[in-house]
Amino acid sequence: MIAALSHRAKAAPAGELAARLSAASVVRADEPLAGRTTLRVGGPADVYVEPADEADLAAGLAFCRERGLRWLLLGRGSNLLVRDGGFRGVVICLAQASFARVAVNGTTLAAGAGARLKTVAVEARRHGLGGLEFLEGIPGSVGGALRMNAGAMNAWTFEVLERVRFMAPDGAVHERPAAALPARYRGCPLFTDHVALEAVFRGRPADEAAIRQTMETFNRKRWESQPPQPSAGCMFKNPAAMPAGRLIDQLGLKGARVGGAMVSDVHANFIVNEGGATAGDVLALITRIRERVRSERGIELETEVEIVGED
Ligand code: EPU
C-alpha cells in the first residue's frame, strides 16, 4: 500500500513533465538506476527522462526549475554510485539518437554528448584521425567525458578538445573554445549545472593501421591491469603522493570486502561488485579504505566517482 502510494506520488510529476514534452521523449516514474550504472547498485530515480531533442531538454530543465526539482545528467553510468534509496528528482539521459551524432570534418570530429567514446575512437580511426585512440577504452559517453575530463593512457579529454556546445540551466545554448572552460584533473565544474550537448575534438592525420595498433596496445594494457567485474573504474582520484591504487595495495587492502563489494585483487583502486552488492556495501568499503589511508599515511583520499542519491 505504502509502495503504491509512493509510486503514485512520483508518477504525478512524471506525467506533468511528459505533457510538456514531445511524444518522442521518454518519461518514466520510479525508474531503477542500478542497471544504468556499471557498478550495478543503487535505487531508482523518482523521474527519468530521455528528451527527444534540445527543445525538450530545455523544457525539462525549465520544469525542474519551476518545481524546485533537482536534476542529474546520466551518461553511461560508469563513474556513478547511486545510493540505495535512489535519487529524489529528475534523471536526464541523452540516450536518443539526436544527441549521438558523430561526424568527421577534416582533422576535427564533432560528437553529440550522448555518443559513446568508443564510437568516437572508431570513427576517428575509420577517417585516419589519430590522437583519439585513448578514448576507445573509456566506458563512457562524450558528455560524461567532458564532465569528468576523463582520461586514460596519459591523455585526457580536454587535451584533444577544440570546443563545446552546452546548455545553461536557463535553457540557453552557448558555444565556447575548450581553453575557455575551467577543466582540471578529473573534472570540469561547469558541467555540474550546465549540460554538454556537443564536443568538437581535434585529431591529426595518421595511418589507419597505426591507429588500430595503438588502440590494440591500449586495450591489452587495460585488460592486463584492470578487473573485468562490474565496477565504476577508479574509485579515488590519485593523490599527489602516489597513485591511489599503489597506496591501497601497499596497505594490504586488495581482497578487502563488505558484503558483495570487494577491493579488486587486480587493481586496488577498483571496487568491484562480486554479485549482489548494495550501494551501502560499496560506501562502507570506501569509508574503510579512506580511514586506513588517513590513519596510516595521513592522506585524505577523494572519490573520483560521483556519489548521488539518498541512503
Ligand atoms: N599499482 C599498484 N597496485 C595496484 C594498482 C596499481 O601498485 O593495485 C601501481 C601500478 O603498478 C602503477 C601505478 O600504481 O605503478 C599506477 O597504476 P596504473 O598505471 O594502473 O594507473 P592509475 O593511476 O591507477 C590511471 C587512471 C585510470 C586509467 C589508467 C590508465 C586515475 C585515478 N586513474 O590509473 O582511469 O585507466 O591511469 O591510463 O587517474 C578511471 O578514471 O576510472 C580510470 C580507470
Side-chain angles (χ1 to χ4, degrees), residues 117 222 238 279 282:
L117 295 172
R222 200 175 55 258
N238 282 339
V282 178

mmCIF file of all heavy atoms in Angstrom, residues 117 222 238 279 282:
data_model
loop_
_atom_site.group_PDB
_atom_site.id
_atom_site.type_symbol
_atom_site.label_atom_id
_atom_site.label_comp_id
_atom_site.label_asym_id
_atom_site.label_seq_id
_atom_site.Cartn_x
_atom_site.Cartn_y
_atom_site.Cartn_z
ATOM 1 N N LEU A 117 32.139 6.974 -26.253
ATOM 2 C CA LEU A 117 33.541 7.308 -26.549
ATOM 3 C C LEU A 117 34.153 6.278 -27.475
ATOM 4 O O LEU A 117 34.998 6.596 -28.311
ATOM 5 C CB LEU A 117 34.335 7.415 -25.243
ATOM 6 C CG LEU A 117 33.887 8.568 -24.339
ATOM 7 C CD1 LEU A 117 34.585 8.486 -22.995
ATOM 8 C CD2 LEU A 117 34.140 9.919 -25.004
ATOM 9 N N ARG A 222 44.866 -2.374 -20.726
ATOM 10 C CA ARG A 222 43.710 -2.261 -19.840
ATOM 11 C C ARG A 222 43.293 -3.620 -19.305
ATOM 12 O O ARG A 222 43.051 -3.781 -18.110
ATOM 13 C CB ARG A 222 42.560 -1.573 -20.579
ATOM 14 C CG ARG A 222 41.535 -0.991 -19.644
ATOM 15 C CD ARG A 222 40.467 -0.208 -20.351
ATOM 16 N NE ARG A 222 39.810 -0.982 -21.381
ATOM 17 C CZ ARG A 222 40.042 -0.869 -22.670
ATOM 18 N NH1 ARG A 222 40.916 0.017 -23.110
ATOM 19 N NH2 ARG A 222 39.397 -1.613 -23.529
ATOM 20 N N ASN A 238 43.836 10.126 -7.899
ATOM 21 C CA ASN A 238 45.210 9.893 -7.472
ATOM 22 C C ASN A 238 45.678 11.087 -6.646
ATOM 23 O O ASN A 238 45.668 12.212 -7.141
ATOM 24 C CB ASN A 238 46.128 9.711 -8.683
ATOM 25 C CG ASN A 238 46.005 8.328 -9.293
ATOM 26 O OD1 ASN A 238 45.560 7.383 -8.639
ATOM 27 N ND2 ASN A 238 46.416 8.187 -10.545
ATOM 28 N N ALA A 279 24.690 -0.470 -2.647
ATOM 29 C CA ALA A 279 25.457 0.779 -2.584
ATOM 30 C C ALA A 279 26.019 0.934 -1.171
ATOM 31 O O ALA A 279 27.143 1.426 -0.990
ATOM 32 C CB ALA A 279 24.561 1.950 -2.944
ATOM 33 N N VAL A 282 29.312 -0.799 -0.885
ATOM 34 C CA VAL A 282 30.381 -0.063 -1.571
ATOM 35 C C VAL A 282 30.799 1.146 -0.718
ATOM 36 O O VAL A 282 31.987 1.400 -0.513
ATOM 37 C CB VAL A 282 29.936 0.386 -2.980
ATOM 38 C CG1 VAL A 282 31.043 1.189 -3.674
ATOM 39 C CG2 VAL A 282 29.542 -0.825 -3.828
#
